[in-house]
Amino acid sequence: MRHLMSPMDFSVEELDKLMDLAADIEANPDRYSSICQGKKLATCFYEPSTRTRLSFEAAMLNLGGSVLGFSSADSSSAAKGESVSDTIRVISSYADICAMRHPKEGAPLVASNHSGIPVINAGDGGHQHPTQTLTDLYTIRSLRGSLSNLTIGLCGDLKFGRTVHSLINALVRYPNINYVLISPDELRVPSYIRDDTLKAAGAPFKEVERLEDAIGELDILYMTRVQRERFFNEEDYLRMKDFYVLNKDKMELAKDDMLVLHPLPRVNEISVEVDSDPRAAYFTQAKKGVYIRMALIVTLLGLEGSIC
Ligand code: NCD
């Protein structure tokens, strides 16, 4: 039995296979529409979500399976003090696979150690968000054709943004990628990403504060939301929240084929006037998240061989 806790749980070859499967599902959805018949996905979300939870549910429904779950800690027995390990033990007898989001770093990992079914980390605190990374990789590969030879700018809350941590973790295994880390000083990437991931992999990177100074050299701009829920006080959040606003003027400084990605939800960091720019790829990215999650469910349930 296999779980997904970090994008590093899959080798580059396995990621390629997963993305190939997602592409086949995207091109031929009917072939996969009953492959998970009789299977159930449990979505155990102890923290808010729209895209991740609903795209997991849509993915399982598209595969002919069914879904059950809860969407907040308050509506589960966590509110009564139940441990994650007890919850997953019980859910293992109700479902075939589980996607779990939790505000505490490592909670899905604890769950996986007590689980009888595959557990997918759907975001743990400010730590990792591997299925967003699968979505990001699949979007970049689909729209650019390859995951190597590019300059990527990651902009915003690089300290608390788990999608950024997971994406860097995954990307350092691909050749010839330059990283431009764009953040205010207080929201720089944690040292475990800077030192243990980027420096350890010998990946070229620089840290800058002004988006305008970097945008012209980027092939991908990955914008992120300032993670209000992870701040210790509201004042700091208010000071930081509108630090970056990508608007039409800034887009004029960018390459004609630069892609703008964002895991969403967006608050103010991308002005709505950018949505109609052909380089804005964040809604396509959210759509692609369903196909890659379909591929992931099929793979973790070991059903790749049953496609006719
Ligand atoms: C992200 C998350 O939950 O970390 N959202 C998502 O899953 N698409 C990003 C965010 O909340 O800012």
Side-chain angles (χ1 to χ4, degrees):
M1 190 179 50
R2 204 161 176 192
H3 308 286
L4 176 67
M5 293 298 125
S6 142
M8 303 298 283
D9 294 351
F10 283 117
S11 68
V12 168
E13 293 71 31
E14 287 173 323
L15 285 176
D16 272 343
K17 263 183 75 181
L18 196 71
M19 289 187 269
D20 289 344
L21 179 58
D24 195 52
I25 293 172
E26 188 171 354
N28 308 290
D30 291 350
R31 284 182 68 204
Y32 297 87
S33 60
S34 54
I35 189 172
C36 283
Q37 211 160 25
K39 303 283 183 195
K40 294 189 212 85
L41 165 77
T43 49
C44 300
F45 276 58
Y46 296 83
E47 226 190 25
S49 168
T50 300
R51 259 149 305 274
T52 306
R53 187 169 61 83
L54 296 187
S55 68
F56 261 116
E57 297 192 357
M60 191 48 148
L61 296 173
N62 290 346
L63 294 166
S66 41
V67 297
L68 66 164
F70 54 85
S71 57
S72 77
D74 299 349
S75 62
S76 79
S77 281
K80 299 180 185 168
E82 186 174 52
S83 67
V84 175
S85 46
D86 278 3
T87 304
I88 195 70
R89 271 202 188 110
V90 173
I91 287 175
S92 295
S93 59
Y94 298 163
D96 301 283
I97 186 164
C98 171
M100 178 179 286
R101 168 169 290 191
H102 203 286
K104 284 209 181 102
E105 281 88 359
L109 179 65
V110 170
S112 70
N113 290 333
H114 296 88
S115 179
I117 57 175
V119 177
I120 300 166
N121 177 5
D124 61 326
H127 185 220
Q128 297 272 353
H129 192 346
T131 65
Q132 181 62 47
T133 295
L134 298 180
T135 303
D136 302 338
L137 298 179
Y138 180 52
T139 305
I140 297 171
R141 198 187 81 159
S142 305
L143 301 183
R144 281 187 61 85
S146 144
L147 284 162
S148 32
N149 307 321
L150 53 89
T151 297
I152 181 166
L154 299 122
C155 177
D157 187 348
L158 309 188
K159 179 178 181 183
F160 296 117
R162 56 193 173 195
T163 64
V164 168
H165 307 157
S166 284
L167 183 56
I168 294 176
N169 259 305
L171 279 178
V172 291
R173 296 179 295 173
Y174 294 87
N176 197 19
I177 302 191
N178 292 294
Y179 300 82
V180 185
L181 307 174
I182 309 158
S183 74
D185 195 45
E186 285 159 276
L187 298 179
R188 287 167 64 193
V189 283
S191 57
Y192 75 89
I193 297 290
R194 188 173 31 251
D195 299 336
D196 306 346
T197 306
L198 287 162
K199 281 190 189 160
F205 73 93
K206 62 179 176 186
E207 295 185 273
V208 302
E209 192 168 278
R210 276 168 45 90
L211 176 55
E212 296 87 323
D213 293 345
I215 194 166
E217 61 187 283
L218 306 179
D219 300 306
I220 310 261
L221 172 58
Y222 193 92
M223 292 296 295
T224 61
R225 170 181 74 89
V226 176
Q227 306 279 298
R228 180 181 204 158
E229 63 276 35
R230 317 244 180 261
F231 276 69
F232 294 111
N233 69 68
E234 183 76 0
E235 256 167 55
D236 286 347
Y237 167 72
L238 293 174
R239 215 160 27 80
M240 294 287 124
K241 75 182 176 69
D242 293 325
F243 205 92
Y244 298 107
V245 179
L246 180 65
N247 56 19
K248 269 192 168 162
D249 290 347
K250 293 196 186 90
M251 287 299 284
E252 271 175 25
L253 306 172
K255 290 184 189 172
D256 290 344
D257 62 351
M258 183 191 78
L259 294 176
V260 184
L261 301 182
H262 190 309
L264 302 177
R266 131 182 81 186
V267 187
N268 286 329
E269 59 279 0
I270 304 181
S271 161
V272 288
E273 67 189 18
V274 177
D275 296 356
S276 54
D277 189 304
R279 296 168 290 183
Y282 29 93
F283 291 117
T284 304
Q285 181 185 2
K287 188 170 174 199
K288 298 235 176 237
V290 177
Y291 302 117
I292 197 77
R293 289 187 172 96
M294 288 170 77
L296 180 65
I297 292 170
V298 168
T299 303
L300 292 183
L301 289 176
L303 297 171
E304 309 98 301
S306 36
I307 303 149
C308 29

